[in-house]
Amino acid sequence: MKGIAFLVAALMSISGLCSAEGGEKLLWHQVRLDKDGKLLSWVRTDSPYASIVTNAWKAFKQIPVQPDGFRTYITYPTFYGPNDPNHKVFSGRGWCHNPGGVCAMLSDSVMLYYAYSGDKEAVSRVKEMVDHIIARGSTTASDAWSLVPYSSSDAGKPSYRGATDSWYSQDGGKDKGRGDGVGYLEPDKIGEIGYGYLLFYKYCLNPKYLKAATRCADALAKNIRQPSESQSPWPFRVDAKTGKKVREDYTANAIGPIKLFDELIRLGFGDTKAYKKARKVAWDWLMTYPMRNNVWTQYFEDVLIYPDYRTNLNQYSPMETARYLMQHPELDPNWKEHAKGLIDWVAGFFAQDSKTMAGLPEKGLQWGAEVVSEQVNDMDKMSSHTARFASVLALWYEKTGYVSAKERAFRSFNWATYSSQPNGLVKTSIDEGTGYWFSDGYGDYMRHFQRGMASVPEWAPSSSDHILGSTSLVRSVSYSPKKIVYQTFDKSGAETLRIQRRPRYVLLDGQPVKIFAKSRPDIEGLSYTRLSKGFALKINRLSASKVLIAF
């Protein structure tokens, strides 16, 4: 309970931190502007995004085991904040849980953070949830969707079997879809969770996680169907037992399963022949329909079922698709056109003026920052989704060199920082009642700042050394004043670091490497870019996984 006491004490003392700025208030803080009236982060360091991530992980690690015997995020999706006199901070709040999405997002986020920090405790916290969903959140071997994770569960229930739909209805049972339904799952989340399982396999090489990942891919390959404009390769909601009872036929989130297929195919794990066949169906459908008609609907788990599948547009699926295209341009000869089109579409639809669920007006442009809503069902401006948009813009800048994209990313990232406190408590939106989520506030929030720093190393701290990004998973890393030592899963790949000074030497698997004036992805070696303080270091590995950087 010591950690919670720390959090509460910090919360009670925070109200006056930014009062000297005066002017308007945004979420937790007084607004800070530059000389041109453009938004700055409230965090007064040379790397506010690093502070946000570090503080949020510190808070996450302090979440205690609750009276039910589990940490809150195991059995609840959302929690009470500091302004509720009847509940402790981080105690669970009743709403249908989305353990699948939370688990997938946290797995992705923590592996980025481990490479950056070397924090094994953070990995252990997320591993608890990964192990739990494998043990108590999976379908049976005899189900049509065999031995794969459920996406939803009832609040407070440690075993996941889908969420009781009528319990979460807001109009006496007619408002269907707030829960998947007991025995129902979401195939797109199976792809995302399966990818999370694969990340943990790469980290610790435990075959349990590889088996869980291939089971997800096997089920997706087995249950794929011939899609059409109104029917995606997999339904959005389908019963696990027979695979024939479909509650919703359409979801545009094909990129989740595609990512899992692509990585297993690359590594040669599982039934790659079946994966390739299913992957082609999903990819062709994605390029034929959502990429052209922008029907990016059905992602979030606790949303009512609309009569028209085209209604509930969201920004998650197009932005994650754009990210994947930029990360893997070899997959799509038109990746630039497609990625720009998705960025422009999200900016034009979700970064516009809107109203919250409570009817309050919100601006899409705030002090020069484009601020993004979640979905048609909930047009509140939210920090995690604004940070996602910013990270995709930052990657667009990295891939194209367009400086305007960097500036746009900077302002949106700055807006997203305002939802976080110095103690790491994250408030998803201005709605105090339901503004605290483990997905939007932690798993999905922190990873975008990490990726932003990888795309723009000057945003990372200048007074310490960090791996900002890698094309492979970093399995081990240690930081000390005299050296950085790390090992990756793959024998080839590339890393981006921010370092305080030039190294005396760099070894790849014990051998010195060549230094180039500019990054050469086709040749093993390294290159430096001088920053205002220190350097950005890029290392390209063609046949090595162990790296030593000596200062």
Side-chain angles (χ1 to χ4, degrees):
M1 296 301 294
K2 183 178 178 182
I4 290 298
F6 162 79
L7 283 172
V8 174
L11 286 167
M12 304 225 2
S13 64
I14 184 123
S15 58
L17 279 178
C18 300
S19 59
E21 289 293 324
E24 297 182 75
K25 190 172 183 179
L26 174 60
L27 292 162
W28 296 111
H29 309 284
Q30 297 295 326
V31 171
R32 290 184 62 228
L33 305 175
D34 64 14
K35 61 181 178 61
D36 297 318
K38 298 292 184 66
L39 190 66
L40 297 172
S41 172
W42 67 269
V43 183
R44 297 174 182 271
T45 69
D46 72 340
S47 181
Y49 311 152
S51 297
I52 294 297
V53 172
T54 300
N55 292 340
W57 273 113
K58 182 177 180 181
F60 185 84
K61 290 186 298 180
Q62 292 172 345
I63 296 172
V65 173
Q66 299 292 345
D68 64 3
F70 301 96
R71 299 188 194 278
T72 320
Y73 47 87
I74 299 291
T75 50
Y76 290 90
T78 182
F79 57 90
Y80 286 98
N83 297 325
D84 192 305
N86 300 316
H87 299 88
K88 294 179 180 178
V89 176
F90 281 121
S91 61
R93 187 184 183 101
W95 189 245
C96 48
H97 193 9
N98 59 326
V102 171
C103 183
M105 292 171 182
L106 284 171
S107 297
D108 185 30
S109 187
V110 80
M111 293 305 171
L112 297 172
Y113 184 62
Y114 174 72
Y116 174 88
S117 66
D119 188 340
K120 293 183 179 179
E121 184 183 1
V123 179
S124 296
R125 284 288 185 269
V126 178
K127 182 177 176 293
E128 289 178 13
M129 187 170 197
V130 173
D131 290 341
H132 185 93
I133 199 169
I134 291 174
R136 301 188 64 174
S138 300
T139 61
T140 68
S142 61
D143 287 340
W145 286 87
S146 175
L147 299 172
V148 296
Y150 282 97
S151 309
S152 301
S153 66
D154 287 330
K157 300 294 185 181
S159 294
Y160 309 149
R161 295 293 181 270
T164 306
D165 191 16
S166 59
W167 195 90
Y168 301 99
S169 296
Q170 297 176 326
D171 62 354
K174 298 178 182 178
D175 182 16
K176 296 295 187 178
R178 296 289 181 189
D180 283 336
V182 173
Y184 285 78
L185 48 71
E186 297 176 14
D188 68 308
K189 306 305 185 302
I190 292 172
E192 293 188 342
I193 305 164
Y195 193 82
Y197 291 159
L198 190 55
L199 292 177
F200 269 86
Y201 169 73
K202 292 179 181 181
Y203 175 75
C204 64
L205 302 184
N206 186 330
K208 174 179 78 171
Y209 301 113
L210 178 57
K211 182 180 288 186
T214 55
R215 282 171 171 169
C216 290
D218 290 345
L220 287 164
K222 173 187 173 184
N223 289 286
I224 197 165
R225 59 189 184 175
Q226 187 58 45
S228 66
E229 183 174 2
S230 60
Q231 181 175 276
S232 48
W234 302 275
F236 182 52
R237 288 184 168 114
V238 62
D239 80 297
K241 186 174 181 62
T242 71
K244 297 178 180 179
K245 299 175 184 177
V246 175
R247 296 199 72 194
E248 282 188 274
D249 245 332
Y250 185 95
T251 173
N253 184 33
I255 208 66
I258 286 170
K259 284 177 60 177
L260 176 61
F261 285 145
D262 280 350
E263 191 62 0
L264 289 172
I265 292 167
R266 182 183 75 84
L267 296 171
F269 293 152
D271 187 351
T272 56
K273 183 178 179 180
Y275 301 164
K276 288 178 182 178
K277 184 178 179 181
R279 191 259 185 212
K280 184 179 187 305
V281 172
W283 180 266
D284 290 348
W285 178 84
L286 178 68
M287 292 294 134
T288 300
Y289 293 111
M291 191 63 69
R292 295 180 180 178
N293 63 22
N294 285 321
V295 182
W296 298 101
T297 55
Q298 281 67 265
Y299 176 80
F300 297 97
E301 302 91 337
D302 60 341
V303 179
L304 61 88
I305 298 173
Y306 285 82
D308 188 333
Y309 74 94
R310 296 167 294 186
T311 303
N312 192 30
L313 299 164
N314 70 78
Q315 45 66 49
Y316 184 102
S317 296
M319 285 294 86
E320 293 305 320
T321 300
R323 187 193 312 282
Y324 196 65
L325 295 179
M326 287 189 279
Q327 290 172 333
H328 301 278
E330 72 279 3
L331 299 177
D332 178 13
N334 300 313
W335 69 270
K336 279 188 178 180
E337 174 190 346
H338 287 153
K340 183 180 184 301
L342 294 174
I343 292 169
D344 291 346
W345 182 80
V346 168
F349 194 94
F350 287 104
Q352 301 300 310
D353 295 355
S354 61
K355 289 186 178 181
T356 69
M357 294 190 82
L360 301 175
E362 286 186 293
K363 292 290 187 182
L365 188 66
Q366 300 182 23
W367 304 284
E370 293 163 278
V371 189
V372 176
S373 304
E374 181 180 69
Q375 58 182 317
V376 166
N377 182 262
D378 183 355
M379 290 295 285
D380 286 35
K381 302 301 183 186
M382 296 189 189
S383 54
S384 64
H385 307 312
T386 299
R388 170 180 295 102
F389 180 70
S391 70
V392 171
L393 282 171
L395 183 58
W396 180 245
Y397 161 72
E398 177 188 351
K399 296 297 183 180
T400 65
Y402 295 156
V403 177
S404 60
K406 177 184 171 185
E407 165 66 12
R408 293 170 68 192
F410 179 65
R411 301 304 175 182
S412 291
F413 269 135
N414 288 346
W415 190 95
T417 68
Y418 280 78
S419 67
S420 184
Q421 294 258 33
N423 56 29
L425 188 69
V426 181
K427 180 180 182 180
T428 304
S429 66
I430 64 173
D431 183 352
E432 179 66 29
T434 60
Y436 302 91
W437 292 79
F438 291 116
S439 53
D440 305 78
Y442 290 89
D444 191 37
Y445 179 68
M446 300 180 288
R447 58 181 176 168
H448 300 309
F449 291 104
Q450 296 265 193
R451 290 197 165 100
M453 290 188 290
S455 292
V456 187
E458 67 195 68
W459 292 344
S462 63
S463 58
S464 51
D465 304 319
H466 297 280
I467 299 172
L468 304 180
S470 174
T471 59
S472 179
L473 185 133
V474 176
R475 295 193 57 234
S476 65
V477 60
S478 64
Y479 294 95
S480 69
K482 293 186 177 180
K483 63 183 178 180
I484 302 172
V485 181
Y486 67 90
Q487 182 174 2
T488 62
F489 175 79
D490 292 295
K491 273 283 193 178
S492 63
E495 283 74 56
T496 300
L497 300 90
R498 180 163 187 174
I499 54 178
Q500 301 171 74
R501 56 200 181 281
R502 291 180 69 127
R504 291 186 295 116
Y505 58 88
V506 175
L507 303 180
L508 300 185
D509 280 357
Q511 300 299 313
V513 297
K514 296 180 180 179
I515 301 175
F516 299 98
K518 189 176 181 181
S519 178
R520 295 284 303 274
D522 57 325
I523 300 177
E524 194 161 77
L526 57 88
S527 64
Y528 301 96
T529 301
R530 183 177 290 278
L531 304 175
S532 58
K533 293 181 181 179
F535 300 87
L537 172 63
K538 289 189 177 294
I539 298 176
N540 191 54
R541 300 173 289 103
L542 296 184
S543 59
S545 61
K546 296 179 181 178
V547 181
L548 186 150
I549 305 169
F551 298 104

